Amino acid sequence: MTRRRSPRPPVRATPDPEVPAWIRWPVRLLALVFVVPVRLGWAALVAFGRFVLSPVGRFLYRYLLRPLGWFLDRVVWRPLCWLFVNLLWRPLGWLGHYLLVVPLRWLFRVFRPALRAVGRALLAVARWLGRGLRSGWRAVRPGVVLVAAVLWAALVWAWRAVGAVLGFLYRLLLRPVGLALRWLWRHTVVPVARAVGWLWRVTVVPAGRWVRDTIWRPAAATARGVLVALGLRRPDPRSGR
């Protein structure tokens, strides 16, 4: 026969620390003053929207907006479109076709030979001008190349001269000023920054840790316990509260 294992005794949950009265009552008072009116106002807004705004909106849509849309579409928009198409667009299209397109087409057919002659003349003139420009370019190209070479050489010389002057000014003025500023930075700003960092680590960081561990975390835990006890917050499953 197998032995039955005796059931393990239930694990007793550690009782939550009792919240001090000097914290519990002010927190309850604040909850009653701020949280309860907000919840009541939100519930009133939800009820107003569900029982007033929603029926009024359905009524307005069914008996006002839908008939108004039908009226605007069938009585206003469609007749206006019909009037625009039949009294304005089609007559204008007819007039444009018979007063512009047909005469222009007839003129083009009549003057087609003259237009061809004018086009050929313009093409011949363009070819003659192209040949003249090509001949003139061949004549002036050596001079243009020489002028461009002289200008390029002048630009290169000016660039080099400006570079030499700027380099001299840099070595004479900017570099000593930069070295002096770097020396001042190393011997003034860097030591001051290190001293400030050391003071911060020695004074502010320990004080902040003490405030966090001694005041902030216990106060937050107490406020969380009060809110859970009042039912204003769900217990945290990770902490068992």
Side-chain angles (χ1 to χ4, degrees), residues 30-111:
L30 292 176
L32 291 175
V33 172
F34 293 101
V35 179
V36 174
V38 171
R39 286 195 171 184
L40 292 176
W42 178 253
L45 287 177
V46 172
F48 180 77
R50 180 179 299 176
F51 297 105
V52 178
L53 292 181
S54 181
V56 171
R58 288 196 297 267
F59 176 81
L60 291 177
Y61 174 76
R62 181 176 299 176
Y63 296 102
L64 180 63
L65 296 179
R66 184 185 292 178
L68 182 61
W70 181 89
F71 176 80
L72 292 177
D73 179 62
R74 300 297 178 87
V75 181
V76 178
W77 177 252
R78 293 189 181 185
L80 287 177
C81 292
W82 185 88
L83 292 175
F84 176 79
V85 171
N86 293 279
L87 298 182
L88 185 62
W89 183 256
R90 290 181 178 177
L92 287 178
W94 184 85
L95 290 176
H97 178 73
Y98 287 99
L99 295 180
L100 292 176
V101 177
V102 174
L104 289 176
R105 189 181 297 172
W106 180 81
L107 291 174
F108 181 75
R109 290 177 181 177
V110 172
F111 293 101

Coordinates of all heavy atoms in Angstrom, one line a residue, residues 30-111:
L30 N -7.8 63.3 0.5 CA -7.5 63.7 -0.9 C -8.3 62.9 -1.9 O -8.7 63.4 -2.9 CB -6.0 63.6 -1.1 CG -5.1 64.6 -0.3 CD1 -3.7 64.3 -0.6 CD2 -5.4 66.1 -0.8
A31 N -8.4 61.6 -1.6 CA -9.2 60.7 -2.5 C -10.6 61.2 -2.6 O -11.2 61.2 -3.7 CB -9.0 59.3 -2.1
L32 N -11.2 61.5 -1.4 CA -12.6 61.9 -1.4 C -12.8 63.2 -2.1 O -13.8 63.5 -2.8 CB -13.1 62.0 0.0 CG -13.3 60.7 0.7 CD1 -13.7 60.9 2.2 CD2 -14.3 59.8 0.1
V33 N -11.8 64.1 -2.0 CA -11.9 65.5 -2.6 C -11.7 65.5 -4.1 O -12.4 66.2 -4.8 CB -11.0 66.4 -1.8 CG1 -10.9 67.8 -2.5 CG2 -11.4 66.6 -0.4
F34 N -10.7 64.7 -4.5 CA -10.3 64.8 -6.0 C -10.8 63.6 -6.8 O -11.4 63.8 -7.9 CB -8.8 64.9 -6.1 CG -8.3 66.1 -5.5 CD1 -7.7 66.2 -4.3 CD2 -8.3 67.3 -6.2 CE1 -7.1 67.3 -3.7 CE2 -7.8 68.5 -5.7 CZ -7.2 68.5 -4.5
V35 N -10.7 62.4 -6.3 CA -11.0 61.2 -7.1 C -12.5 61.0 -7.2 O -13.0 60.7 -8.3 CB -10.3 59.9 -6.5 CG1 -10.6 58.7 -7.3 CG2 -8.8 60.2 -6.5
V36 N -13.2 61.0 -6.1 CA -14.6 60.7 -6.2 C -15.4 61.7 -7.1 O -16.2 61.3 -7.9 CB -15.2 60.7 -4.8 CG1 -16.7 60.6 -4.8 CG2 -14.6 59.6 -4.0
P37 N -15.2 63.1 -7.0 CA -15.9 64.0 -8.0 C -15.5 63.7 -9.4 O -16.4 63.8 -10.3 CB -15.4 65.4 -7.5 CG -15.0 65.2 -6.1 CD -14.4 63.8 -6.0
V38 N -14.3 63.3 -9.7 CA -13.9 63.0 -11.1 C -14.6 61.8 -11.6 O -15.2 61.7 -12.7 CB -12.4 62.8 -11.2 CG1 -12.0 62.3 -12.6 CG2 -11.7 64.1 -10.9
R39 N -14.7 60.7 -10.7 CA -15.5 59.5 -11.1 C -16.9 59.8 -11.3 O -17.6 59.4 -12.3 CB -15.3 58.5 -10.1 CG -13.9 57.8 -10.1 CD -13.9 56.5 -9.3 NE -12.7 55.8 -9.5 CZ -12.4 54.6 -9.0 NH1 -13.4 54.0 -8.2 NH2 -11.3 54.0 -9.2
L40 N -17.5 60.6 -10.4 CA -18.9 60.9 -10.6 C -19.2 61.8 -11.8 O -20.2 61.6 -12.5 CB -19.4 61.7 -9.3 CG -19.5 60.9 -8.0 CD1 -19.9 61.8 -6.8 CD2 -20.5 59.8 -8.1
G41 N -18.3 62.7 -12.1 CA -18.4 63.5 -13.3 C -18.3 62.7 -14.6 O -19.1 62.9 -15.5
W42 N -17.4 61.7 -14.6 CA -17.2 60.9 -15.7 C -18.4 60.0 -15.9 O -18.9 59.8 -17.1 CB -16.0 60.0 -15.6 CG -15.8 59.1 -16.7 CD1 -15.9 57.7 -16.7 CD2 -15.3 59.4 -18.0 NE1 -15.6 57.2 -17.9 CE2 -15.3 58.2 -18.8 CE3 -15.0 60.6 -18.7 CZ2 -14.9 58.2 -20.1 CZ3 -14.6 60.6 -20.0 CH2 -14.6 59.4 -20.7
A43 N -19.0 59.4 -14.8 CA -20.2 58.6 -14.9 C -21.4 59.4 -15.5 O -22.2 59.0 -16.3 CB -20.5 58.0 -13.6
A44 N -21.4 60.7 -15.0 CA -22.5 61.6 -15.5 C -22.4 61.8 -17.0 O -23.4 61.8 -17.7 CB -22.5 62.9 -14.7
L45 N -21.1 62.1 -17.4 CA -20.9 62.3 -18.9 C -21.3 61.1 -19.7 O -21.9 61.2 -20.8 CB -19.5 62.7 -19.1 CG -19.1 64.1 -18.6 CD1 -17.6 64.3 -18.9 CD2 -19.8 65.2 -19.4
V46 N -20.9 59.9 -19.2 CA -21.2 58.7 -19.9 C -22.7 58.5 -20.0 O -23.3 58.1 -21.1 CB -20.5 57.5 -19.3 CG1 -21.0 56.2 -19.9 CG2 -19.0 57.6 -19.4
A47 N -23.4 58.7 -18.9 CA -24.9 58.5 -18.9 C -25.5 59.6 -19.8 O -26.5 59.3 -20.6 CB -25.4 58.6 -17.5
F48 N -25.0 60.8 -19.8 CA -25.6 61.8 -20.7 C -25.4 61.5 -22.1 O -26.3 61.7 -23.0 CB -24.9 63.2 -20.3 CG -25.4 64.3 -21.2 CD1 -26.7 64.9 -20.9 CD2 -24.7 64.8 -22.2 CE1 -27.1 65.9 -21.7 CE2 -25.1 65.9 -23.0 CZ -26.4 66.4 -22.7
G49 N -24.2 61.0 -22.5 CA -24.0 60.6 -23.9 C -24.8 59.4 -24.3 O -25.3 59.4 -25.4
R50 N -25.0 58.5 -23.4 CA -25.8 57.3 -23.7 C -27.3 57.5 -23.8 O -27.9 57.0 -24.7 CB -25.5 56.2 -22.7 CG -26.2 54.8 -23.0 CD -25.8 53.8 -22.0 NE -24.4 53.5 -22.0 CZ -23.8 52.7 -21.1 NH1 -24.5 52.1 -20.2 NH2 -22.5 52.5 -21.2
F51 N -27.8 58.3 -22.9 CA -29.3 58.4 -22.8 C -29.8 59.7 -23.4 O -31.0 59.8 -23.6 CB -29.7 58.3 -21.3 CG -29.4 57.0 -20.7 CD1 -28.4 56.9 -19.8 CD2 -30.2 55.9 -21.0 CE1 -28.1 55.7 -19.2 CE2 -29.9 54.7 -20.4 CZ -28.8 54.5 -19.5
V52 N -28.9 60.7 -23.7 CA -29.4 61.9 -24.3 C -28.8 62.2 -25.7 O -29.5 62.4 -26.7 CB -29.0 63.1 -23.4 CG1 -29.4 64.4 -24.0 CG2 -29.7 62.9 -22.0
L53 N -27.4 62.2 -25.8 CA -26.8 62.5 -27.0 C -27.1 61.5 -28.1 O -27.3 61.8 -29.3 CB -25.3 62.7 -26.8 CG -24.9 63.9 -26.0 CD1 -23.4 64.0 -25.9 CD2 -25.4 65.2 -26.6
S54 N -27.0 60.2 -27.7 CA -27.2 59.2 -28.7 C -28.6 59.2 -29.3 O -28.8 59.1 -30.5 CB -26.8 57.8 -28.1 OG -27.0 56.8 -29.1
P55 N -29.7 59.2 -28.5 CA -31.0 59.3 -29.1 C -31.3 60.5 -29.9 O -31.9 60.5 -30.9 CB -31.9 59.2 -27.9 CG -31.1 58.6 -26.8 CD -29.7 59.0 -27.0
V56 N -30.7 61.7 -29.4 CA -30.9 62.9 -30.1 C -30.2 62.9 -31.5 O -30.7 63.3 -32.5 CB -30.4 64.1 -29.3 CG1 -30.4 65.4 -30.1 CG2 -31.3 64.3 -28.1
G57 N -29.0 62.3 -31.5 CA -28.2 62.2 -32.7 C -29.0 61.3 -33.7 O -29.1 61.6 -34.9
R58 N -29.5 60.1 -33.3 CA -30.3 59.2 -34.2 C -31.5 59.9 -34.7 O -31.9 59.8 -35.9 CB -30.6 58.0 -33.4 CG -29.4 57.0 -33.2 CD -29.9 55.6 -32.8 NE -30.7 55.7 -31.6 CZ -30.1 55.4 -30.4 NH1 -28.8 55.2 -30.3 NH2 -30.8 55.4 -29.3
F59 N -32.2 60.7 -33.8 CA -33.4 61.4 -34.2 C -33.1 62.4 -35.3 O -33.8 62.5 -36.3 CB -34.1 62.0 -33.0 CG -35.3 62.9 -33.4 CD1 -36.5 62.3 -33.6 CD2 -35.1 64.2 -33.5 CE1 -37.6 63.1 -33.9 CE2 -36.2 65.0 -33.8 CZ -37.5 64.4 -34.0
L60 N -32.0 63.2 -35.1 CA -31.6 64.3 -36.0 C -31.2 63.7 -37.4 O -31.5 64.2 -38.4 CB -30.5 65.1 -35.4 CG -30.9 66.0 -34.3 CD1 -29.6 66.7 -33.8 CD2 -32.0 67.0 -34.6
Y61 N -30.4 62.6 -37.3 CA -30.0 61.9 -38.5 C -31.2 61.4 -39.3 O -31.2 61.5 -40.6 CB -29.0 60.8 -38.2 CG -28.6 60.0 -39.5 CD1 -27.7 60.6 -40.4 CD2 -29.1 58.8 -39.7 CE1 -27.4 59.8 -41.5 CE2 -28.8 58.0 -40.8 CZ -27.9 58.6 -41.7 OH -27.5 57.9 -42.9
R62 N -32.1 60.7 -38.6 CA -33.2 60.1 -39.3 C -34.3 61.1 -39.9 O -34.8 60.9 -41.0 CB -33.9 59.1 -38.4 CG -35.1 58.3 -39.0 CD -35.6 57.3 -38.1 NE -34.6 56.3 -37.7 CZ -34.8 55.4 -36.8 NH1 -36.0 55.3 -36.1 NH2 -33.8 54.5 -36.5
Y63 N -34.6 62.1 -39.1 CA -35.7 63.0 -39.5 C -35.2 64.4 -39.9 O -36.1 65.2 -40.4 CB -36.6 63.2 -38.3 CG -37.3 61.9 -37.8 CD1 -36.8 61.2 -36.7 CD2 -38.3 61.4 -38.6 CE1 -37.4 60.0 -36.3 CE2 -38.9 60.2 -38.1 CZ -38.5 59.5 -37.0 OH -39.1 58.3 -36.7
L64 N -33.9 64.7 -39.9 CA -33.5 66.0 -40.4 C -32.4 65.9 -41.4 O -32.5 66.4 -42.6 CB -33.0 66.8 -39.2 CG -32.5 68.2 -39.6 CD1 -33.6 69.1 -40.2 CD2 -31.9 68.9 -38.3
L65 N -31.2 65.2 -41.1 CA -30.1 65.1 -42.0 C -30.4 64.3 -43.2 O -30.0 64.7 -44.3 CB -28.9 64.6 -41.2 CG -28.4 65.5 -40.1 CD1 -27.2 64.8 -39.4 CD2 -28.0 66.8 -40.6
R66 N -31.0 63.1 -43.1 CA -31.3 62.3 -44.2 C -32.3 63.0 -45.2 O -32.0 63.0 -46.4 CB -31.8 60.9 -43.8 CG -32.0 60.0 -44.9 CD -32.6 58.7 -44.4 NE -31.7 57.9 -43.6 CZ -32.0 56.8 -43.0 NH1 -33.2 56.2 -43.2 NH2 -31.1 56.1 -42.3
P67 N -33.4 63.5 -44.7 CA -34.3 64.2 -45.6 C -33.6 65.4 -46.3 O -33.9 65.7 -47.4 CB -35.5 64.6 -44.8 CG -35.5 63.6 -43.7 CD -34.1 63.4 -43.4
L68 N -32.8 66.2 -45.5 CA -32.1 67.3 -46.0 C -31.2 66.9 -47.1 O -31.1 67.6 -48.2 CB -31.4 68.1 -44.9 CG -30.7 69.4 -45.4 CD1 -31.6 70.4 -45.9 CD2 -29.9 69.9 -44.2
G69 N -30.4 65.8 -46.9 CA -29.5 65.3 -48.0 C -30.3 64.9 -49.2 O -29.8 65.2 -50.3
W70 N -31.4 64.2 -49.0 CA -32.2 63.8 -50.2 C -32.7 65.0 -50.9 O -32.7 65.1 -52.2 CB -33.4 62.9 -49.7 CG -34.2 62.5 -50.9 CD1 -34.1 61.4 -51.6 CD2 -35.4 63.2 -51.4 NE1 -35.0 61.3 -52.6 CE2 -35.9 62.4 -52.5 CE3 -36.0 64.3 -51.1 CZ2 -37.0 62.7 -53.2 CZ3 -37.1 64.7 -51.8 CH2 -37.6 63.9 -52.9
F71 N -33.2 66.1 -50.2 CA -33.7 67.3 -50.8 C -32.5 68.0 -51.6 O -32.8 68.4 -52.8 CB -34.3 68.2 -49.8 CG -34.7 69.5 -50.3 CD1 -35.9 69.6 -51.0 CD2 -33.9 70.7 -50.2 CE1 -36.3 70.9 -51.5 CE2 -34.3 71.9 -50.7 CZ -35.5 72.0 -51.3
L72 N -31.4 68.1 -51.0 CA -30.3 68.8 -51.7 C -29.8 68.0 -52.9 O -29.4 68.7 -53.9 CB -29.1 69.0 -50.7 CG -29.3 70.0 -49.6 CD1 -28.1 70.0 -48.6 CD2 -29.6 71.4 -50.1
D73 N -29.8 66.7 -52.9 CA -29.4 65.9 -54.0 C -30.4 65.9 -55.1 O -30.0 66.2 -56.3 CB -29.1 64.5 -53.5 CG -28.6 63.6 -54.7 OD1 -27.6 63.9 -55.3 OD2 -29.3 62.7 -55.0
R74 N -31.6 65.7 -54.8 CA -32.7 65.5 -55.9 C -33.2 66.8 -56.4 O -33.6 66.9 -57.5 CB -33.8 64.6 -55.4 CG -33.3 63.2 -55.0 CD -32.8 62.5 -56.2 NE -32.3 61.1 -55.8 CZ -33.1 60.1 -55.7 NH1 -34.4 60.2 -56.0 NH2 -32.6 58.9 -55.3
V75 N -33.3 67.8 -55.5 CA -34.0 69.0 -55.8 C -33.1 70.2 -56.2 O -33.4 71.0 -57.0 CB -34.9 69.5 -54.7 CG1 -35.7 70.8 -55.0 CG2 -35.9 68.4 -54.3
V76 N -31.8 70.1 -55.7 CA -30.9 71.2 -55.9 C -29.8 70.8 -56.8 O -29.5 71.4 -57.9 CB -30.4 71.8 -54.6 CG1 -29.4 72.9 -54.8 CG2 -31.5 72.3 -53.7
W77 N -29.0 69.8 -56.4 CA -27.8 69.4 -57.1 C -28.0 68.9 -58.5 O -27.4 69.3 -59.5 CB -27.0 68.4 -56.3 CG -25.7 67.9 -57.0 CD1 -25.5 66.7 -57.5 CD2 -24.5 68.7 -57.2 NE1 -24.3 66.6 -58.0 CE2 -23.6 67.9 -57.9 CE3 -24.2 70.0 -56.9 CZ2 -22.4 68.3 -58.3 CZ3 -22.9 70.4 -57.3 CH2 -22.0 69.6 -58.0
R78 N -28.9 67.9 -58.7 CA -29.1 67.3 -60.0 C -29.8 68.3 -61.0 O -29.3 68.3 -62.1 CB -30.0 66.1 -59.8 CG -29.3 64.9 -59.0 CD -30.1 63.7 -59.1 NE -29.4 62.6 -58.4 CZ -29.9 61.3 -58.3 NH1 -31.0 61.0 -59.0 NH2 -29.2 60.4 -57.6
P79 N -30.7 69.1 -60.6 CA -31.2 70.1 -61.5 C -30.2 71.1 -61.9 O -30.1 71.5 -63.1 CB -32.4 70.8 -60.8 CG -32.9 69.7 -59.8 CD -31.6 69.0 -59.4
L80 N -29.3 71.5 -61.0 CA -28.3 72.5 -61.4 C -27.3 71.8 -62.3 O -26.8 72.5 -63.3 CB -27.5 72.9 -60.1 CG -28.3 73.9 -59.2 CD1 -27.4 74.2 -58.0 CD2 -28.6 75.2 -59.9
C81 N -26.9 70.6 -62.1 CA -26.0 69.9 -63.1 C -26.6 69.8 -64.4 O -26.0 70.0 -65.5 CB -25.7 68.5 -62.5 SG -24.6 68.5 -61.0
W82 N -28.0 69.5 -64.5 CA -28.6 69.3 -65.8 C -28.6 70.7 -66.5 O -28.4 70.8 -67.7 CB -30.0 68.8 -65.6 CG -30.8 68.6 -66.9 CD1 -30.8 67.4 -67.6 CD2 -31.6 69.5 -67.6 NE1 -31.5 67.6 -68.7 CE2 -32.1 68.9 -68.7 CE3 -32.0 70.8 -67.3 CZ2 -32.9 69.5 -69.6 CZ3 -32.8 71.5 -68.2 CH2 -33.2 70.8 -69.4
L83 N -28.9 71.8 -65.7 CA -29.0 73.1 -66.4 C -27.6 73.5 -66.8 O -27.4 74.1 -67.9 CB -29.5 74.1 -65.3 CG -30.9 74.0 -64.9 CD1 -31.3 75.0 -63.8 CD2 -31.8 74.3 -66.2
F84 N -26.5 73.2 -66.1 CA -25.2 73.5 -66.5 C -24.8 72.8 -67.7 O -24.2 73.4 -68.7 CB -24.2 73.2 -65.3 CG -22.8 73.5 -65.7 CD1 -22.2 74.7 -65.7 CD2 -21.9 72.4 -66.0 CE1 -20.9 75.0 -66.0 CE2 -20.6 72.6 -66.4 CZ -20.1 73.9 -66.4
V85 N -25.1 71.5 -67.8 CA -24.6 70.7 -69.0 C -25.4 71.1 -70.2 O -24.9 71.3 -71.3 CB -24.8 69.2 -68.7 CG1 -24.6 68.4 -69.9 CG2 -23.8 68.8 -67.6
N86 N -26.7 71.3 -70.1 CA -27.6 71.4 -71.3 C -27.7 72.9 -71.7 O -28.0 73.2 -72.9 CB -29.0 70.9 -71.0 CG -29.0 69.4 -70.9 OD1 -29.0 68.6 -71.9 ND2 -29.0 68.9 -69.6
L87 N -27.5 73.8 -70.8 CA -27.7 75.2 -71.1 C -26.4 76.0 -71.3 O -26.4 77.1 -71.8 CB -28.6 75.9 -70.1 CG -30.0 75.4 -70.0 CD1 -30.8 76.2 -68.9 CD2 -30.8 75.4 -71.3
L88 N -25.3 75.4 -70.8 CA -24.0 76.2 -70.8 C -22.9 75.4 -71.5 O -22.3 75.8 -72.5 CB -23.6 76.6 -69.4 CG -22.3 77.4 -69.3 CD1 -22.6 78.8 -70.0 CD2 -22.0 77.7 -67.8
W89 N -22.7 74.2 -71.0 CA -21.5 73.4 -71.5 C -21.7 73.0 -73.0 O -20.8 73.2 -73.8 CB -21.3 72.2 -70.6 CG -20.1 71.4 -71.0 CD1 -20.1 70.2 -71.6 CD2 -18.7 71.7 -70.8 NE1 -18.8 69.8 -71.8 CE2 -17.9 70.7 -71.3 CE3 -18.1 72.8 -70.2 CZ2 -16.5 70.7 -71.3 CZ3 -16.7 72.9 -70.2 CH2 -16.0 71.8 -70.7
R90 N -22.8 72.3 -73.3 CA -23.0 71.9 -74.6 C -23.2 73.0 -75.6 O -22.6 72.9 -76.7 CB -24.3 71.0 -74.7 CG -24.1 69.7 -74.0 CD -25.3 68.8 -74.1 NE -25.1 67.5 -73.4 CZ -26.0 66.6 -73.3 NH1 -27.3 66.8 -73.8 NH2 -25.7 65.4 -72.7
P91 N -23.9 74.1 -75.3 CA -23.9 75.2 -76.3 C -22.5 75.8 -76.5 O -22.1 76.2 -77.6 CB -24.8 76.3 -75.7 CG -25.8 75.4 -74.8 CD -24.9 74.3 -74.3
L92 N -21.7 76.0 -75.4 CA -20.3 76.5 -75.6 C -19.5 75.6 -76.4 O -18.7 76.0 -77.3 CB -19.7 76.7 -74.2 CG -20.2 77.9 -73.4 CD1 -19.5 77.9 -72.0 CD2 -20.0 79.2 -74.2
G93 N -19.6 74.2 -76.2 CA -18.9 73.3 -77.0 C -19.3 73.4 -78.5 O -18.4 73.3 -79.4
W94 N -20.6 73.5 -78.7 CA -21.0 73.6 -80.1 C -20.5 74.9 -80.8 O -20.0 74.9 -81.9 CB -22.6 73.7 -80.2 CG -23.1 73.7 -81.5 CD1 -23.4 72.6 -82.3 CD2 -23.5 74.8 -82.3 NE1 -23.9 73.0 -83.5 CE2 -24.0 74.4 -83.5 CE3 -23.5 76.2 -82.0 CZ2 -24.5 75.3 -84.5 CZ3 -24.0 77.1 -83.0 CH2 -24.5 76.6 -84.2
L95 N -20.6 76.0 -80.1 CA -20.0 77.3 -80.6 C -18.5 77.2 -80.8 O -18.0 77.7 -81.9 CB -20.3 78.4 -79.6 CG -21.8 78.9 -79.6 CD1 -22.0 79.9 -78.5 CD2 -22.3 79.4 -80.9
G96 N -17.8 76.6 -79.9 CA -16.3 76.5 -80.1 C -16.0 75.6 -81.2 O -15.0 75.9 -82.0
H97 N -16.8 74.6 -81.5 CA -16.5 73.7 -82.6 C -16.7 74.3 -83.9 O -15.8 74.3 -84.8 CB -17.3 72.4 -82.5 CG -17.1 71.5 -83.6 ND1 -16.0 70.7 -83.7 CD2 -17.9 71.2 -84.7 CE1 -16.1 70.0 -84.8 NE2 -17.2 70.2 -85.4
Y98 N -17.8 75.0 -84.1 CA -18.2 75.6 -85.4 C -17.6 77.0 -85.6 O -17.6 77.5 -86.7 CB -19.7 75.6 -85.5 CG -20.3 74.3 -85.8 CD1 -20.9 73.5 -84.7 CD2 -20.2 73.7 -87.0 CE1 -21.4 72.3 -85.0 CE2 -20.7 72.4 -87.3 CZ -21.3 71.7 -86.2 OH -21.8 70.5 -86.4
L99 N -17.2 77.7 -84.5 CA -16.6 79.0 -84.7 C -15.1 79.0 -84.6 O -14.5 80.0 -85.1 CB -17.2 80.0 -83.6 CG -18.7 80.3 -83.7 CD1 -19.1 81.2 -82.6 CD2 -19.1 80.9 -85.1
L100 N -14.5 78.0 -84.1 CA -13.0 78.0 -84.0 C -12.4 76.8 -84.7 O -11.5 77.0 -85.5 CB -12.6 78.0 -82.5 CG -12.9 79.3 -81.7 CD1 -12.6 79.1 -80.2 CD2 -12.2 80.5 -82.3
V101 N -12.8 75.6 -84.3 CA -12.2 74.4 -84.9 C -12.4 74.3 -86.4 O -11.4 74.1 -87.1 CB -12.7 73.2 -84.1 CG1 -12.1 71.9 -84.7 CG2 -12.4 73.3 -82.6
V102 N -13.6 74.4 -86.8 CA -13.9 74.3 -88.3 C -13.2 75.4 -89.1 O -12.6 75.1 -90.1 CB -15.4 74.3 -88.5 CG1 -15.8 74.3 -90.0 CG2 -16.1 73.1 -87.8
P103 N -13.3 76.7 -88.7 CA -12.5 77.7 -89.5 C -11.0 77.5 -89.5 O -10.4 77.7 -90.5 CB -12.9 79.0 -88.8 CG -14.2 78.8 -88.2 CD -14.2 77.4 -87.7
L104 N -10.5 77.1 -88.3 CA -9.0 76.9 -88.3 C -8.6 75.7 -89.1 O -7.6 75.7 -89.8 CB -8.6 76.7 -86.8 CG -8.6 77.9 -85.9 CD1 -8.3 77.6 -84.5 CD2 -7.7 79.0 -86.5
R105 N -9.4 74.7 -89.2 CA -9.2 73.5 -90.0 C -9.2 73.9 -91.5 O -8.4 73.5 -92.3 CB -10.2 72.4 -89.7 CG -9.9 71.1 -90.3 CD -10.9 70.1 -89.9 NE -10.9 69.9 -88.5 CZ -11.9 69.1 -87.9 NH1 -12.9 68.6 -88.6 NH2 -11.8 69.0 -86.6
W106 N -10.2 74.7 -91.8 CA -10.3 75.2 -93.2 C -9.1 76.0 -93.6 O -8.6 75.9 -94.7 CB -11.6 75.9 -93.4 CG -11.8 76.4 -94.8 CD1 -12.3 75.7 -95.9 CD2 -11.6 77.7 -95.3 NE1 -12.3 76.5 -97.0 CE2 -11.9 77.8 -96.6 CE3 -11.1 78.9 -94.7 CZ2 -11.7 78.9 -97.4 CZ3 -10.9 80.0 -95.4 CH2 -11.3 80.1 -96.8
L107 N -8.8 77.0 -92.8 CA -7.6 77.8 -93.0 C -6.3 77.0 -93.2 O -5.5 77.3 -94.0 CB -7.5 78.9 -91.9 CG -8.5 80.0 -91.9 CD1 -8.3 80.8 -90.7 CD2 -8.5 80.8 -93.2
F108 N -6.2 76.0 -92.4 CA -5.0 75.2 -92.5 C -4.9 74.5 -93.8 O -3.9 74.3 -94.4 CB -4.9 74.2 -91.3 CG -3.7 73.3 -91.3 CD1 -2.5 73.8 -90.9 CD2 -3.9 72.0 -91.7 CE1 -1.4 73.0 -90.9 CE2 -2.8 71.2 -91.7 CZ -1.5 71.6 -91.3
R109 N -6.1 73.9 -94.2 CA -6.1 73.2 -95.5 C -5.8 74.2 -96.7 O -5.1 73.8 -97.6 CB -7.5 72.6 -95.7 CG -7.7 71.4 -94.8 CD -9.1 70.9 -95.0 NE -9.4 69.7 -94.1 CZ -10.6 69.1 -94.1 NH1 -11.6 69.5 -94.8 NH2 -10.7 68.1 -93.2
V110 N -6.3 75.4 -96.6 CA -6.1 76.4 -97.7 C -4.7 76.9 -97.7 O -4.1 76.9 -98.8 CB -7.1 77.6 -97.5 CG1 -6.8 78.7 -98.5 CG2 -8.5 77.1 -97.7
F111 N -4.1 77.2 -96.6 CA -2.8 77.8 -96.6 C -1.7 76.8 -96.3 O -0.6 77.2 -95.9 CB -2.7 78.9 -95.5 CG -3.6 80.1 -95.8 CD1 -4.9 80.2 -95.2 CD2 -3.2 81.0 -96.7 CE1 -5.6 81.3 -95.5 CE2 -3.9 82.1 -97.0 CZ -5.2 82.3 -96.4

